[in-house]
Amino acid sequence: MTNDAPAPAMPKLADFLCFAVYSANLAYGRAYKPILDALGVTYTQWIAIVALWEEDGLTVGALGERLFLESNTLTPILKKLEVLGYVVRRRDPADERQVIVTLTPAGRALREMGAQRTLVQASGLTPDDFRRLQRDVTRLRDNLIQSVGHAAADPEPA
Amino acid sequence: MTNDAPAPAMPKLADFLCFAVYSANLAYGRAYKPILDALGVTYTQWIAIVALWEEDGLTVGALGERLFLESNTLTPILKKLEVLGYVVRRRDPADERQVIVTLTPAGRALREMGAQRTLVQASGLTPDDFRRLQRDVTRLRDNLIQSVGHAAADPEPA
DNA sequence: CCTTAATAGATCGTACACGATGCAATCGTA
DNA sequence: TACGATTGCATCGTGTACGATCTATTAAGG
């Protein structure tokens, strides 16, 4: 034993909020897998369809803002969804740099099929706790993003 | 407009707890990036070191239980950490199937360096809220995992 | 009008996650 | 003690994330 006093204030893995979020995300991925397999899409493909149902005809960039993803991640996913027949990608005639993504009828039908199956039950939370946790985690996300933005905007934080 | 009554009870993306967790995880990844870049490791490599600091000499499987990862994900990460000089991997002489992972002094030193930098501030939460959210997200994760385990154990759920 | 800068997507390389599979070591049981 | 089953780790293929870079298009300035 080279160190018999391993520093008193070293937090454990179970105390990390980032690890709770990380591992909860992994758990969600596994819980969603059977549902999404039945629909024939992946998780990221699915949330893209959900976002487009909510607001159709978005550009790749605008969709990325809603999903917190960049074009380098979205482009291959949207191309796959196009091959599957769930979306259409076309250049905006008014600005050929932009690509407008639209749900097909098949894409809308898929969204409606998926709405039948939820995981509220698997979360083991009451509806009130569910909503509260949803709100708190969302706020955490927004705080983190804001702090990253600040760091980027401020070249000399300390 | 082909559909002027788009189903009343269709939840929005912002109402999904899974999406809150998913996007919070992305946000954490970006917030952690500068810190981990300074340490020269990735997030998954980092939590592996944290787990080994907490309990050293774990097998790949036991480490995977703590991190919620399988050997197919862990093996390449641990090999990289070995190349970097932070861990040692050796077969257990008592059971040659198992590989025991041990932190090197350099690995322990890295853990101590990383402990200086935290993101509690970036979360924008009071210490109490931080702990409460950490506990709630952890419970959500465990509930999800249990529900997946049930589904796997029960061949005919419905 | 022409050149330069900015913008929006797309492409490429790296690193996870994870299902499926392979393989060596061990266990269980006759 | 054979030998089939199980276990533990590793390998492979697919699909995200994301930094860096490229290209085409538009905007801005002289």
Side-chain angles (χ1 to χ4, degrees), chain B:
Chain B
M1 196 80 71
T2 59
N3 186 357
D4 48 25
M10 198 67 77
K12 296 193 174 184
L13 193 61
D15 300 324
F16 284 66
L17 179 53
C18 64
F19 180 68
V21 170
Y22 166 80
S23 53
N25 185 50
L26 293 183
Y28 252 125
R30 289 163 201 170
Y32 255 109
K33 188 111 205 331
I35 296 178
L36 293 175
D37 278 355
L39 294 176
V41 292
T42 66
Y43 181 74
T44 315
Q45 290 166 11
W46 174 246
I47 60 173
I49 289 176
V50 170
L52 287 171
W53 167 278
E54 191 173 328
E55 188 175 356
D56 205 2
L58 293 171
T59 65
V60 172
L63 181 59
E65 280 180 22
R66 284 152 182 78
L67 301 181
F68 301 91
L69 294 172
E70 309 282 332
S71 71
N72 51 9
T73 301
L74 272 179
T75 295
I77 291 167
L78 294 173
K79 282 187 172 178
K80 206 160 301 176
L81 285 177
E82 188 168 41
V83 171
L84 292 171
Y86 296 132
V87 306
V88 172
R89 294 161 62 246
R90 59 181 165 76
R91 291 277 167 183
D92 182 351
D95 183 348
E96 291 280 347
R97 288 173 305 181
Q98 301 189 141
V99 168
I100 295 180
V101 187
T102 315
L103 274 185
T104 64
R108 273 191 294 275
L110 192 74
R111 172 69 185 91
E112 285 161 34
M113 286 195 49
Q116 311 306 326
R117 309 277 229 99
T118 34
L119 282 176
V120 179
Q121 202 173 355
S123 74
L125 301 174
T126 67
D128 276 355
D129 285 347
F130 188 96
R131 268 189 296 274
R132 194 167 51 76
L133 189 53
Q134 195 279 331
R135 191 201 57 202
D136 290 349
V137 174
T138 298
R139 192 160 49 199
L140 167 67
R141 177 198 68 201
D142 293 339
N143 288 339
L144 288 170
I145 287 177
Q146 199 196 6
S147 86
V148 172
H150 272 191
D154 184 351
E156 313 278 359

Side-chain angles (χ1 to χ4, degrees), chain A residues 52-76:
Chain A
L52 288 170
W53 167 278
E54 193 173 326
E55 187 173 357
D56 206 1
L58 293 171
T59 64
V60 172
L63 181 59
E65 280 180 21
R66 283 152 183 78
L67 301 181
F68 301 93
L69 295 172
E70 309 281 333
S71 71
N72 50 9
T73 302
L74 271 179
T75 296

Side-chain angles (χ1 to χ4, degrees), chain A residues 11 14 84:
Chain A
L84 291 171

Side-chain angles (χ1 to χ4, degrees), chain A residues 127-140:
Chain A
D128 276 356
D129 285 348
F130 187 97
R131 269 188 295 274
R132 194 167 51 75
L133 188 54
Q134 195 280 329
R135 189 202 56 202
D136 289 349
V137 175
T138 299
R139 191 160 48 199
L140 168 67

Side-chain angles (χ1 to χ4, degrees), chain A residues 17-45:
Chain A
L17 180 52
C18 64
F19 180 68
V21 170
Y22 166 80
S23 53
N25 185 50
L26 293 182
Y28 252 124
R30 288 163 202 171
Y32 254 108
K33 189 106 207 328
I35 296 177
L36 293 174
D37 278 354
L39 295 175
V41 291
T42 65
Y43 181 74
T44 315
Q45 290 166 12

